Amino acid sequence: MQTKKSAQGEWSSRWTFILAATGAAVGLGNIWKFPYVAGQSGGGAFVLFYLLCVLLVGIPLLMAEITIGRWGRQNPIHAIQTIAKEAKRSKYWSLVGGLCLFTGFLILSYYSVIAGWSIEYVFKSALGEFSGATVLSSIGIFHRLTSNLWQMLFWHTVIMLSTGYVIARGIELGIEKAVRFMFPIMILIIILLIGYAMSTDKFTYAMAWLFEPDFSELTPNVMLEALGQAFFSLSIALGTIMTYGAYLPHKSSITSVSTAIAIADTAIALLAGVAIFPIVFSYHLTPSAGPGLIFQSLPLAFAHMPLGRLFGTLFFIMLVFTAFTSTISLLEPTVVWLVERFTWSRLKASCIAISAVWLMGLITIFSFNIWSHVRLFGQTLFGCLDYLTANIMLPLGGLLIAIFIAWKVPENLFHAELRPEKKIIYQGFKFTMRYIVPIAIILIFLQVTGLLKW
Ligand code: PFF
C-alpha cells in the first residue's frame, strides 16, 4: 500500500479536494449546455437517464482517475508510468497520460478565450451597455466583441496571467485559496438568481419544461447525448482529476469523494437551469444552447428586467468564477508535468506553460476575425479544435483509462489503492470499468463522429 505524498503537496482535507474537483467539473458546460439539452430532450426523463450515466460511467471513471493519481502521486504521465512498471506492463501506457494532458492543454487554449468574453460582459452589464437592447443590438454587441481582435487578446491574456499566478503559488496558497473564495460566491449568486427566477410568472412553466418527464423524447440519440454530457461535465480524461487526485490525503475514501463530486456537479447543472429558464421564458426568448444563449439572449432579458443591471452583472461574475476554477484545473497537469520532468520551479513551469497556451489561443481568437474565412473540413479553426478535443480526444482518453485500469492492472494492486468499503462496490466498479464504460464510450464515439445514426 502506498503512503508516499506528491512532491507538490497535499490538500488540507478531503473537503478541499472535493471543492477543487467540483470547481474543475462545474464550468461553462453546466451553465449553458446541460439545462438546454435537458429541456429539449424530454425534461425529467433526460435528467433520470443522465443520472444513470453519471452513476454507471461518470463515477467509475472519476474513481479510476483518482486511483491512478493517488497511487502514482505524480503528474498523469509519470503516474501511469509508475503504475505500468509495478504492474509489469509496457511503459508506453504513459502515453495515455500524455494524451489526457495534451487534451487539457488544447481545451484550455479556447476555454480561456471564452472565459475572457465573460469578463468583458461583466463590465458591459455593469456599465449598462445592454439597457434598452433589442435582439439586433444584442447580437451586434456580441459580434463587435468577437471581431475585435485586440479586445479578445487582452482578456485572453488576463485570464492566462491570473491562471498562471494561481498555479505558480501552489496547491494550498494558490488553488485552494482561489476555489475557497470563488466557489461560495458562485453558489450564492446562483441562489440569488433562483430567487429572482421564482418571482417571475413563468417559473412553474419553466420547471415543467425542465423536469416533467416525457419518455417519448428519450430517443437513442438523446441517450447518447446524455452520456457524452456526463463525460464532459465531470472533466474526465483531461488529466485534471488524476492530478488533483495525486494530492488527496491517503485516508480519504475514493468512492465517497467521487460520488460527492458527481452529485455536486449535477446539482449545480440543475440549479443553473432553475435560475436561467424562467428568465428566458419570461422575456419571450427562445431557449438555445451555447454562446447564443449566454451572450446574446440573456443580456436581452437583463436589459428589460427590474434590477437587470445588477442581476446581469452578478450572472456574468458567476460565469467568470465557474470558468476560472476550470481554467486553473486545466493548467495544473501541464505545469506539474513540467516541474517533475525538467525539475523546474512552479513559477518557471507556469510561465512557460501559460506562454504556450496563450500562443495556442491565438488560433481561436483569429478564427473569429482575421482567419474567419479559413475552413478545415468545412469548419473554422476553432470549430476543428473543439471537435477534435471534445469529440475525439476526450472519449479516446476515457476509453484507454478504462482499458488500462480494468484489463491491464492486476486486481490486487488496484484493490490496495481503491480500498472500497464494501465488496459489492468493488465488484460493481470492476464490471462497469471492464464492460459498460468501454461499450458506452465506443457508442458515444460512433455517434459523435456520425458513424452511427438511429
Ligand atoms: N467540465 C467543465 C465544463 O463542463 O465546462 C470543463 C470542461 C471539460 C470543458 C471538458 C470542456 C471540456 F471539453
Side-chain angles (χ1 to χ4, degrees):
M1 208 183 281
Q2 309 278 317
T3 46
K4 59 184 184 191
K5 281 191 181 174
S6 161
Q8 309 305 315
E10 202 169 72
W11 301 113
S12 43
S13 72
R14 73 186 170 122
W15 288 109
T16 353
F17 166 73
I18 294 173
L19 202 64
T22 307
V26 173
L28 301 169
N30 297 56
I31 311 290
W32 80 38
K33 195 154 175 231
F34 179 84
Y36 164 75
V37 181
Q40 284 278 293
S41 325
F46 175 91
V47 173
L48 281 179
F49 191 78
Y50 178 82
L51 292 178
L52 194 71
C53 296
V54 167
L55 190 74
L56 290 182
V57 179
I59 296 181
L61 273 171
L62 282 178
M63 286 166 71
E65 281 208 36
I66 300 173
T67 304
I68 293 175
R70 191 170 69 175
W71 186 349
R73 291 289 192 203
Q74 282 153 304
N75 65 80
I77 299 179
H78 290 130
I80 296 186
Q81 205 167 35
T82 308
I83 296 170
K85 202 168 161 195
E86 265 183 65
K88 302 196 174 51
R89 293 291 175 182
S90 157
K91 63 173 192 247
Y92 291 112
W93 276 104
S94 62
L95 290 175
V96 178
L99 172 71
C100 293
L101 205 121
F102 190 51
T103 312
F105 173 88
L106 290 180
I107 288 182
L108 177 58
S109 78
Y110 63 80
Y111 209 79
S112 159
V113 175
I114 300 174
W117 295 348
S118 319
I119 313 190
E120 172 66 26
Y121 268 62
V122 171
F123 288 102
K124 285 197 186 314
S125 188
L127 296 173
E129 219 179 287
F130 301 124
S131 356
T134 60
V135 176
L136 273 184
S137 69
S138 176
I139 294 175
I141 290 173
F142 182 63
H143 281 292
R144 266 199 301 286
L145 168 63
T146 53
S147 48
N148 189 335
L149 189 151
W150 295 107
Q151 205 169 11
M152 285 216 280
L153 206 56
F154 175 73
W155 289 124
H156 172 52
T157 312
V158 169
I159 293 277
M160 283 325 303
L161 284 176
S162 31
T163 305
Y165 172 76
V166 169
I167 292 299
R169 284 177 62 90
I171 294 149
E172 281 194 46
L173 292 176
I175 308 178
E176 272 200 31
K177 248 179 139 173
V179 289
R180 271 178 205 261
F181 169 72
M182 284 188 270
F183 205 83
I185 299 183
M186 192 175 98
I187 299 288
L188 196 73
I189 297 179
I190 295 192
I191 294 173
L192 274 176
L193 289 170
I194 291 180
Y196 176 79
M198 285 172 84
S199 72
T200 62
D201 53 356
K202 283 290 188 322
F203 186 72
T204 342
Y205 175 78
M207 288 307 96
W209 186 77
L210 203 53
F211 293 117
E212 219 159 73
D214 176 0
F215 287 95
S216 66
E217 293 267 0
L218 206 58
T219 58
N221 273 334
V222 166
M223 289 182 187
L224 286 178
E225 182 138 23
L227 192 58
Q229 174 68 15
F231 200 83
F232 303 137
S233 183
L234 291 170
S235 281
I236 287 163
L238 294 170
T240 292
I241 301 293
M242 261 185 233
T243 310
Y244 278 12
Y247 320 139
L248 180 66
H250 184 65
K251 54 184 186 318
S252 310
S253 148
I254 291 182
T255 316
S256 45
V257 292
S258 307
T259 314
I261 299 166
I263 292 176
D265 182 65
T266 310
I268 292 175
L270 290 172
L271 290 177
V274 173
I276 293 173
F277 285 97
I279 299 178
V280 167
F281 290 124
S282 295
Y283 291 91
H284 311 288
L285 306 171
T286 351
S288 59
L293 169 69
I294 301 285
F295 297 108
Q296 294 171 18
S297 302
L298 279 180
L300 266 181
F302 295 131
H304 299 284
M305 70 195 221
L307 294 177
R309 219 158 129 172
L310 174 72
F311 281 115
T313 312
L314 285 175
F315 175 83
F316 287 109
I317 292 178
M318 175 199 63
L319 204 61
V320 171
F321 284 1
T322 53
F324 194 68
T325 48
S326 298
T327 57
I328 52 182
S329 77
L330 288 166
L331 185 65
E332 174 72 4
T334 304
V335 169
V336 182
W337 175 70
L338 291 174
V339 168
E340 290 173 351
R341 170 72 179 76
F342 301 106
T343 54
W344 290 345
S345 67
R346 272 186 89 92
L347 180 65
K348 182 174 174 189
S350 303
C351 290
I352 292 183
I354 60 167
S355 309
V357 180
W358 184 85
L359 277 175
M360 190 73 208
L362 297 183
I363 296 184
T364 298
I365 294 182
F366 293 165
S367 78
F368 283 96
N369 34 70
I370 51 173
W371 288 351
S372 60
H373 58 284
V374 180
R375 289 283 185 280
L376 251 181
F377 306 109
Q379 299 211 49
T380 61
L381 293 178
F382 163 64
C384 287
L385 203 58
D386 181 27
Y387 187 87
L388 175 73
T389 48
N391 293 350
I392 297 175
M393 294 171 78
L394 273 183
L396 186 63
L399 180 65
L400 293 172
I401 291 172
I403 294 176
F404 178 64
I405 275 297
W407 294 95
K408 299 290 169 188
V409 174
E411 228 171 85
N412 54 339
L413 287 179
F414 183 48
H415 191 272
E417 185 59 54
L418 189 64
R419 284 178 283 131
E421 295 81 357
K422 292 200 174 66
K423 197 163 173 223
I424 179 150
I425 292 183
Y426 183 63
Q427 298 294 354
F429 173 77
K430 224 174 55 186
F431 181 79
T432 45
M433 279 313 264
R434 283 195 156 202
Y435 305 104
I436 298 185
V437 174
I439 293 173
I441 294 177
I442 290 171
L443 285 177
I444 310 182
F445 187 74
L446 293 176
Q447 194 232 13
V448 292
T449 49
L451 294 169
L452 178 79
K453 268 206 170 70
W454 267 285

